[in-house]
Amino acid sequence: MDGYGDDATDAHDGTHAHDAALADADPRTAAILEAERERQRSSLQLIASENHASRSVLRAQGSVFTNKYAEGVPGDRYYGGCEHADEIERLAIDRARKLFDAEHVNVQPHSGSQANAAAMLAVLEPGDTILSADLRNAGHLSHGHQANLAGQVYDVERYGLDPETGLLEYDTLRERAEDVDPDLIVSGFSAYPRTVDWERIQAIAEDVGAFHLADIAHITGLVAAGVHPSPVGVADLVTASTHKTVRAGRGGIVVCGEDLADAVDRAVMPGIQGGPAMHNVTGKAVGFGEALEPAFEAYAERVIANARALAGGLADRGCRLSTGGTDTHLVLVDLRETHDRDLLGKAAERALEDCGIVLNANAVPGDPRPPKDPSGIRAGVPALTTRGFDEGAMDAVAECIVRMLEDPEDEAVRREVTECVDELCAAHPLYE
Ligand SMILES: *Cc1c(COP(=O)(O)O)cnc(C)c1O
């Protein structure tokens, strides 16, 4: 067994004593929890934004800190009894600052979306203009979708990826920025498989007098490990998730320089949140501690190697990949130019899930179809890499995916793919 850098692969999830108590008190909930654990074990988790936290992180999150109110920042709280809350939050902040080589980190955002809302509130007034990518161009709801608060509070203008290549074209972005004259440019994506040049975007932002928010939610761990360039110290504001490529449990953070520190802290609380979820702050402290270990760098390198192996395996078997490949943890497959034209995003997602391959339908750049039933699928390898999958295993995964895409209705194919998934899962244990 060669799981990377944590104990998710070779140990139970550290909650057995608590499980027994829960099974007594609430058997129905305990059964649902066990079923979810079994689902994660017995299928391939290829959702690019998911991962498996270590038992230490799970333990930290399921702790007495869920009871504690600690509105404010360490040393300056609205409530009494915060001495240990101060300690754990300072630990999470110190580790995050070290991990990202950052001047200031706020570890309180409940999620990546909250981190984005806070970062925007820190530097914008209502009615200010944001320039960001929409869902069809690998953007995120929180970047200003009309149904999101940001879309209602700010004037949102859009830039796109090249519809032919899927690549971010910096000159096109510059032209758009010069046209729109935004107050904030948002970079960072949910489904972009290539390296982002933060300096180039920062230069564009500076030339048009805009702030630059780099949202590294998807690549937090890759940036932390130094296998993707870091926007910290380049972009004015950086937001990150703590549960995708870093395995620190559910949440978000905002990273900035000293100049924006007070504005960011005030934007998080009271701007958009009340008390911090201290149990999640505890999980962040533990997960950041794990990410500071040398084993985490090896994990991040494996993630990239595995993504390349998956991309190669899919491309060799006839899949058309947006941007032609990957530098990160994910691949984006354009199914319009892959196999059966009828089997697009949602139908492909469902057929694969029937055989234990869990990923999501995703828009491809220039997608003419609606985001709810788009043309592509997105597959990421962080979770499988945590389970110890190597490049050979990733090639087997690619084979399974392509066989299903080619013959989704064939019972024999379904049986064989399901068997292959079962074998891969059995060979890579999780929380046992
Ligand atoms: C996942 C993601 C987020 C954070 O989402 P939450 O679900 O709110 O944690 C933010 N930005 C991008 C680009 C993302 O992909």
Side-chain angles (χ1 to χ4, degrees), residues 49 110-116 138-143 186-191 215-219 239-244 250-252 378:
S49 45
H110 301 324
S111 74
S113 298
Q114 302 293 102
N116 283 337
H140 190 258
L141 282 169
S142 60
H143 294 180
V186 183
S187 67
F189 307 96
S190 296
D215 175 357
I216 58 167
H218 258 265
I219 55 171
T239 52
S241 75
T242 55
H243 50 278
K244 295 183 181 178
R250 189 63 52 160
R378 184 187 69 164

Side-chain angles (χ1 to χ4, degrees), residues 57-137:
V57 168
L58 297 185
R59 177 70 188 86
Q61 288 191 302
S63 69
V64 291
F65 267 124
T66 198
N67 301 331
K68 188 69 198 103
Y69 251 109
E71 280 180 5
V73 293
D76 185 15
R77 306 283 194 183
Y78 290 78
Y79 291 91
C82 283
E83 61 269 33
H84 305 301
D86 281 357
E87 234 179 315
I88 196 66
E89 187 169 343
R90 283 201 178 103
L91 185 62
I93 291 168
D94 286 348
R95 288 178 175 174
R97 287 186 53 208
K98 209 163 158 197
L99 200 52
F100 297 101
D101 196 15
E103 284 180 15
H104 184 77
V105 182
N106 187 302
V107 297
Q108 294 186 6
H110 301 324
S111 74
S113 298
Q114 302 293 102
N116 283 337
M120 290 175 184
L121 186 63
V123 296
L124 297 177
E125 299 292 330
D128 278 358
T129 302
I130 294 176
L131 179 59
S132 62
D134 64 11
L135 293 180
R136 281 191 170 89
N137 289 281

Side-chain angles (χ1 to χ4, degrees), residues 226-239:
V227 300
H228 185 292
S230 175
V232 174
V234 178
D236 302 291
L237 294 149
V238 177
T239 52

